[in-house]
Amino acid sequence: MSGMKKMTKTTRNNLITYAMVILLFVIMQTLVSTGNVSSLLQGLLVPLCAYIILAVSLNLTVGILGELSLGHAGFMCVGAFTGAFFSKCMADAIPAAGFRYFLALLIGAAAAGICGILIGIPVLRLKGDYLAIVTLAFGEIIKNIVNILFIGRDADGFHFSTTDTRSLGLLPDGEVIVNGPQGITGTPKDSTFFISVILILITLFIVLNLIHSRSGRAIMSIRDNRIAAESVGINITKYKLMAFSISASLAGVAGVIYAHNLATLTAQPKNFGYNMSIMILVFVVLGGIGNIRGSIIAAIILTLLPELLRGLSDYRMLIYAVVLIAMMLFNWSPKAIEWRENYTAKFKRNKKEA
């Protein structure tokens, strides 16, 4: 009976999370259709969905697995460029935009997931700060590799170079697809707010089901006490790799969404660099490590806040900083945690009496 009760409680919590995302989508769509949202804010909606997926997927590594990873922007970069490359190459071959975008999502997720496995095998043997430093280096390496890559296509097939477009040796009918630091231009703009919200729901479904599954409990036991987990026969490497690669492939999906919303995709420090990884980590930490719903709320608040405060140009960053500190105190100060627990217990007691 208690198992059944616990199960319904878990399911109820998951349904609340899904309902929250759907409700936010409906509110946003209503505001957009009635013309109450500025064009700047409308332009932020698809990147916001990508950030939510990144925050939820990083929470899987940081919150559930308990490992600090700073290379999340690297996985996003892999997904973005493989997805955009596929869409650009197949624009004529697959005219159906929806099907092409679906394939690009799968390819971006697979490429990022494979990178997650390849990086995870050597890196997950490390702990704490060492793991953070190596994953950070991975993110920077990926960004720099993309910036020196030139890929062209003509009747003879694909040509690769790391120097410039001239050294590709293309025929007159050839086209440059990846142009080094100038990136990929002319990716079809297939990402829409509606599709992005559906992808958020799929991400939540994957992550929440994983957390409450047997594998999820094994992953959390490794986080809580590695030696105890190993002593009862849990395969540490398998479950660590599982969490890390799923997290990476979801970051790849976010990258594909992000890439298909831009006219030109370039690997700049601001969109795939160290700052991006830190920003995603800030969403996770402020929303509460291991708290999936908190990650979504933090990503929404911290992405939209600077835009909503644009009118208060002088005080914008000051208010942003105050909100950051307030969220930090609310989530992490012992007094706030104690107050929240007391309030929840009181609320439950009143509910029972009623």
Side-chain angles (χ1 to χ4, degrees):
M1 183 65 189
S2 65
M4 184 70 184
K5 200 174 176 184
K6 185 172 179 289
M7 188 64 198
T8 51
K9 188 185 171 192
T10 303
T11 313
R12 194 168 67 240
N13 272 338
N14 291 358
L15 289 173
I16 290 168
T17 311
Y18 302 141
M20 185 181 89
V21 173
I22 294 165
L23 183 68
L24 287 168
F25 168 71
V26 170
I27 292 168
M28 232 31 232
Q29 277 297 84
T30 312
L31 288 173
V32 169
S33 55
T34 53
N36 290 323
V37 178
S38 68
S39 57
L40 268 171
L41 212 56
Q42 277 188 46
L44 266 182
L45 292 178
V46 174
L48 171 64
C49 293
Y51 296 151
I52 290 172
I53 292 174
L54 286 163
V56 170
S57 61
L58 184 62
N59 213 336
L60 187 58
T61 302
V62 176
I64 310 304
L65 178 62
E67 297 288 5
L68 181 60
S69 166
L70 294 178
H72 220 52
F75 296 122
M76 181 192 178
C77 186
V78 170
F81 275 87
T82 48
F85 181 78
F86 171 80
S87 287
K88 180 92 191 276
C89 291
M90 292 295 172
D92 300 328
I94 308 173
F99 182 59
R100 186 180 60 229
Y101 184 55
F102 173 69
L103 289 178
L105 284 167
L106 291 181
I107 287 167
I114 290 164
C115 281
I117 293 168
L118 294 176
I119 299 298
I121 291 167
V123 162
L124 289 173
R125 296 172 191 277
L126 303 169
K127 285 193 199 76
D129 300 348
Y130 301 107
L131 183 105
I133 291 162
V134 175
T135 50
L136 173 65
F138 158 74
E140 292 300 305
I141 289 165
I142 289 290
K143 179 172 66 69
N144 290 328
I145 287 173
V146 168
N147 276 330
I148 59 158
L149 207 57
F150 294 86
I151 303 174
R153 181 176 65 164
D154 59 16
D156 295 339
F158 289 102
H159 300 258
F160 300 87
S161 168
T162 52
T163 46
D164 57 19
T165 47
R166 281 202 303 277
S167 59
L168 288 169
L170 293 172
L171 296 172
D173 67 331
E175 64 162 339
V176 177
I177 297 170
V178 182
N179 193 4
Q182 290 170 19
I184 299 176
T185 313
T187 312
K189 286 189 90 170
D190 293 332
S191 291
T192 63
F193 184 43
F194 177 66
I195 293 172
S196 304
V197 169
I198 288 172
L199 289 167
I200 290 175
L201 291 170
I202 293 169
T203 303
L204 285 171
F205 182 76
I206 293 167
V207 172
L208 292 171
N209 278 335
L210 175 67
I211 292 169
H212 298 300
S213 69
R214 191 177 166 193
S215 301
R217 288 193 292 275
I219 291 164
M220 285 188 274
S221 70
I222 295 168
R223 174 195 69 190
D224 295 336
N225 193 326
R226 187 197 167 106
I227 295 165
E230 208 162 7
S231 70
V232 294
I234 289 171
N235 186 335
I236 305 278
T237 314
K238 175 188 156 185
Y239 286 111
K240 271 189 158 189
L241 256 183
M242 183 183 185
F244 196 68
S245 56
I246 290 172
S247 174
S249 58
L250 291 173
V253 168
V256 176
I257 294 173
Y258 190 81
H260 286 72
N261 186 48
L262 300 168
T264 304
L265 178 68
T266 54
Q268 300 290 335
K270 72 174 189 295
N271 56 0
F272 295 121
Y274 168 68
N275 289 351
M276 184 64 153
S277 290
I278 294 297
M279 188 177 82
I280 305 159
L281 188 64
V282 167
F283 295 157
V284 172
V285 172
L286 287 182
I289 290 177
N291 181 348
I292 301 296
R293 214 176 295 162
S295 295
I296 298 171
I297 295 165
I300 292 169
I301 291 173
L302 297 182
T303 306
L304 297 184
L305 197 68
E307 203 51 58
L308 294 170
L309 297 174
R310 198 166 279 281
L312 308 164
S313 53
D314 296 344
Y315 305 105
R316 190 163 66 119
M317 293 324 282
L318 175 67
I319 298 169
Y320 183 73
V322 168
V323 170
L324 268 177
I325 294 164
M327 284 176 75
M328 198 84 155
L329 289 172
F330 181 73
N331 273 321
W332 294 101
S333 78
K335 281 276 181 240
I337 293 168
E338 191 184 323
W339 175 82
R340 278 209 311 274
E341 282 171 356
N342 291 343
Y343 181 78
T344 313
K346 193 176 168 187
F347 177 72
K348 280 180 180 169
R349 209 165 42 245
N350 291 347
K351 200 174 168 187
K352 266 185 185 171
E353 284 167 7

